[in-house]
Amino acid sequence: MSKQRFVIVSDSGDSWVLGGDPDDGKYTDGDDQHAMPALLKDGWQPKSMTAGSGSKDESSYWLVLLEK
């Protein structure tokens, strides 16, 4: 059975696991929000992406579904 994670990725390069890091900080480091590179390195594969934008600023965001 495969596992799934949703990750938010911003155009600034930040990324974080939606709902927090379920692996007790394995993919986060304090205020460092670079979960996506660590997840990909750990064997997670992107399955779908949904584009969005921030309402308070001009940033773009993507919701990425990963599977392992």
Side-chain angles (χ1 to χ4, degrees):
M1 180 187 266
S2 65
K3 296 191 249 179
Q4 295 183 330
R5 297 274 190 276
F6 282 100
V7 176
I8 304 292
V9 180
S10 78
D11 59 359
S12 68
D14 289 337
S15 58
W16 56 94
V17 179
L18 186 64
D21 187 345
D23 295 307
D24 296 325
K26 183 175 181 181
Y27 302 113
T28 57
D29 182 18
D31 291 333
D32 189 20
Q33 297 183 339
H34 293 70
M36 184 63 106
L39 287 158
L40 294 174
K41 184 177 179 181
D42 200 26
W44 290 86
Q45 298 289 317
K47 293 298 173 185
S48 70
M49 288 177 271
T50 304
S53 65
S55 59
K56 294 182 182 179
D57 55 28
E58 306 231 354
S59 297
S60 295
Y61 298 92
W62 293 266
L63 176 65
V64 181
L65 172 62
L66 300 175
E67 261 185 14
K68 184 175 183 183

